[in-house]
Amino acid sequence: MISDNKIIEINGWGGTNSVFVNIFKPKDLKELKSKIKNSKSRSIITRGLGRSYGDAAQLKGKEVIILSNFSKMELDSEKQTLRAGAGASFDEILNYIVPKGFFLPVSPGTRNVTVGGAIAADVHGKNHHKDGSFGNHVLEIRIIDGNGNEKTLLPKNENQEISKEFFATVGGMGLTGTIYEARFKLIKIETSLISVNTSRFDNLSSLMEAMLIADKKFHYSVAWVDSLHKNNRGVLTCGEHAKEGQLSKKQNKLFYDPKSITKAPSFLPNGLLNNFTVQIFNEAWFRKAPKFKESELQTISQFFHPLDGIENWNKIYGSKGFLQYQIVIPDSASYLISKILKFLKDNNAPSFLTVLKRFGNSNNAFLSFPLKGWTLAVDLPANIPKLNSILDLLDLMVAEENGKIYLAKDSRQSCKMFLKTYKNHKEWLEIKKNMDPKNIFFSDLADRINIC
């Protein structure tokens, strides 16, 4: 458990790049402002629940702020909005709003993220092709800037112009200041169950064709890909919030009951995840899915957060941890999905979990990850020989097609790759300098890719 003002060792969810930091948990806003006002250059980053996979929420030898005391929530049922402290987790929020008939506008693959982290990473979910990322639904951000001053940021200023400070903070990886509170839209739901259609496909091309059709028919869709199969077969899962009429009279219509099914072993032997073991898992996972099943009712946890059912699932990769390589490419470069999967296979880099999703249009945030097209995420054991060299070559392919790597998942991309692919970086940096003139807010990610 993290303690106040104590030096501890932390890392990202991937379990790599561990560092020692000084944890600071402010009791209130006054203490938070004082800490920031009296800080020196490159000395602070704010951390949520540690679900960034790499080094985005750590700063070696310096101060890491934890906002666990900033978790109050206030629901406005009439306006369908929620005001929440930046330290409130999506799990806590769902527990509060679902029984009242509301749901998050965007739900990423884990419930264990905070409001502040969701804004800083501009998280996305299975509905990006319809509703965009989390930042699209944020109405107000309250932040302490680099001068130690409180600021309220709105998407548009008093002249109804796009607010640059707002959109530098959305997706800004915590580098424009410490977010301490936000207000955002919710969606109204009749039930807390999801009506799910599941389909199996024998090859990648038919899977991707079905995903394009699903864009127009479903609010939520995601595909799992068997990346070691010769045809990259896969399973497509699509969903909608179930209507009251789809439930029996005896069924509880509005509930939220996340449960951990099991615990991952503390550490598995390094090297246990290899081509052979991943092939066995993939075969079982593919066969488990129905060839076609329509209107199956699943809970929020089953559909949105399946991996949360295995507590500390990241431990299955062993003591050396793992990397998640998540890229986005435009529709014009769809061929690159199969090319990347073949390249990984040819280089003996088995992906234990391979996920493919569709993105809709990007938003106004300068460093936001999504753009219209395809996003592929692969989880790779960190002990794969020459893994960084393999991924460096993939980076060149992605950059050539105007794609990019998700900063919240990244743990190894180069400064050159970042500067080439995040084309709004220079404009973002000028806003960062105005909001944080002493460059107080920094991170190991920022240092590695020279973002500041």
Side-chain angles (χ1 to χ4, degrees):
M1 185 175 179
I2 291 174
S3 303
D4 299 337
N5 298 304
K6 186 177 181 181
I7 295 175
I8 66 166
E9 187 177 16
I10 64 171
N11 50 45
W13 187 244
T16 58
N17 303 326
S18 296
V19 296
F20 285 93
V21 300
N22 186 45
I23 295 295
F24 176 69
K25 287 186 182 179
K27 300 191 301 289
D28 52 30
L29 195 56
K30 181 179 178 182
E31 195 168 271
L32 175 61
K33 288 171 66 176
S34 176
K35 167 63 68 175
I36 293 170
K37 191 166 285 190
N38 296 315
S39 294
K40 297 178 181 178
S41 176
R42 300 187 177 196
S43 61
I44 288 177
I45 191 63
T46 311
R47 183 180 178 92
L49 294 174
R51 288 303 178 108
S52 289
Y53 281 52
D55 49 7
Q58 61 189 51
L59 184 53
K60 184 178 180 179
K62 300 295 176 65
E63 209 92 46
V64 170
I65 294 177
I66 305 289
L67 296 178
S68 52
N69 294 320
F70 292 70
S71 58
K72 290 182 180 178
M73 290 175 275
E74 182 183 342
L75 174 66
D76 188 327
S77 298
E78 187 176 332
K79 293 182 179 179
Q80 298 184 22
T81 63
L82 184 75
R83 183 177 293 280
S89 72
F90 277 16
D91 183 45
E92 292 169 324
I93 290 171
L94 290 168
N95 192 55
Y96 175 57
I97 66 174
V98 170
K100 296 176 172 61
F102 293 97
F103 191 67
L104 291 163
V106 170
S107 185
T110 176
R111 63 182 184 262
N112 298 311
V113 297
T114 62
V115 169
I119 295 170
D122 194 21
V123 298
H124 55 269
K126 299 175 174 70
N127 60 331
H128 192 281
H129 60 286
K130 290 281 189 183
D131 301 317
S133 50
F134 192 71
N136 294 39
H137 306 274
V138 176
L139 302 171
E140 177 186 312
I141 300 171
R142 292 187 176 179
I143 191 170
I144 307 296
D145 68 12
N147 295 311
N149 296 326
E150 297 176 49
K151 279 189 173 181
T152 298
L153 308 179
L154 306 176
K156 292 186 178 181
N157 60 28
E158 56 189 16
N159 297 321
Q160 292 302 300
E161 299 168 331
I162 297 297
S163 168
K164 290 187 175 182
E165 290 190 341
F166 180 94
F167 286 106
T169 300
V170 171
M173 303 307 295
L175 298 171
T176 60
T178 294
I179 300 165
Y180 67 89
E181 188 178 278
R183 185 169 63 91
F184 51 91
K185 302 173 192 173
L186 301 174
I187 60 173
K188 188 73 176 159
I189 54 175
E190 293 181 22
T191 81
S192 55
L193 293 173
I194 311 299
S195 178
V196 180
N197 287 10
T198 304
S199 307
R200 271 185 359 201
F201 296 87
D202 292 328
N203 56 72
L204 184 63
S205 59
S206 60
L207 172 64
M208 292 176 71
E209 286 173 14
M211 293 179 73
L212 291 171
I213 296 170
D215 272 6
K216 300 172 183 177
K217 295 176 63 176
F218 296 96
H219 253 85
Y220 302 105
S221 69
V222 63
W224 168 83
V225 180
D226 183 352
S227 57
L228 291 186
H229 188 265
K230 61 181 180 179
N231 295 324
N232 294 134
R233 62 189 176 180
V235 178
L236 175 60
T237 309
C238 303
E240 295 284 348
H241 290 281
K243 301 295 184 182
E244 196 169 344
Q246 294 176 256
L247 278 62
S248 69
K249 291 182 179 180
K250 293 182 179 180
Q251 283 180 288
N252 188 353
K253 293 177 176 57
L254 292 167
F255 68 95
Y256 176 65
D257 187 23
K259 292 179 180 178
S260 291
I261 301 168
T262 185
K263 288 187 177 182
S266 57
F267 274 115
L268 293 177
N270 289 312
L272 187 63
L273 287 178
N274 51 45
N275 280 359
F276 177 71
T277 56
V278 172
Q279 278 180 330
I280 292 174
F281 170 83
N282 285 359
E283 180 68 28
W285 194 263
F286 184 78
R287 296 298 171 194
K288 180 180 77 72
K291 287 186 178 180
F292 180 74
K293 191 170 187 177
E294 195 172 26
S295 302
E296 177 190 8
L297 294 180
Q298 294 186 9
T299 65
I300 287 169
S301 298
Q302 284 176 306
F303 185 72
F304 289 102
H305 315 127
L307 281 177
D308 285 344
I310 305 172
E311 190 175 333
N312 295 326
W313 62 264
N314 57 337
K315 299 291 178 68
I316 66 172
Y317 290 91
S319 59
K320 292 186 178 179
F322 74 105
L323 308 182
Q324 183 171 108
Y325 186 70
Q326 183 170 5
I327 56 103
V328 61
I329 51 173
D331 285 319
S332 58
S334 59
Y335 77 93
L336 199 52
I337 301 297
S338 60
K339 187 174 181 178
I340 288 172
L341 295 178
K342 183 179 185 305
F343 188 84
L344 290 172
K345 196 185 309 180
D346 291 346
N347 283 277
N348 295 312
S351 171
F352 179 67
L353 184 65
T354 304
V355 175
L356 185 62
K357 291 199 293 283
R358 294 284 300 147
F359 278 164
N361 293 326
S362 56
N363 60 21
N364 292 309
F366 296 94
L367 299 182
S368 183
F369 169 67
L371 56 85
K372 186 169 174 51
W374 300 89
T375 179
L376 176 72
V378 293
D379 287 359
L380 302 164
N383 62 358
I384 294 173
K386 299 181 180 179
L387 180 58
N388 281 330
S389 298
I390 294 169
L391 296 180
D392 285 344
L393 292 173
L394 290 185
D395 288 353
L396 295 176
M397 299 180 202
V398 171
E400 185 68 24
E401 292 291 357
N402 294 310
K404 53 186 170 180
I405 297 169
Y406 191 17
L407 296 178
K409 302 292 182 67
D410 175 46
S411 58
R412 37 70 49 197
Q413 77 170 301
S414 67
C415 168
K416 183 178 179 180
M417 175 68 178
F418 168 74
L419 294 176
K420 185 175 182 179
T421 56
Y422 278 80
K423 302 182 189 301
N424 296 321
H425 164 256
K426 287 184 179 179
E427 191 173 357
W428 175 87
L429 184 57
E430 290 305 310
I431 303 163
K432 149 81 171 172
K433 288 177 180 177
N434 289 330
M435 296 180 71
D436 181 21
K438 292 191 293 182
N439 200 20
I440 288 170
F441 297 102
F442 204 63
S443 67
D444 289 344
L445 167 73
D447 187 37
R448 172 167 54 84
I449 62 176
N450 198 23
I451 193 172
C452 299

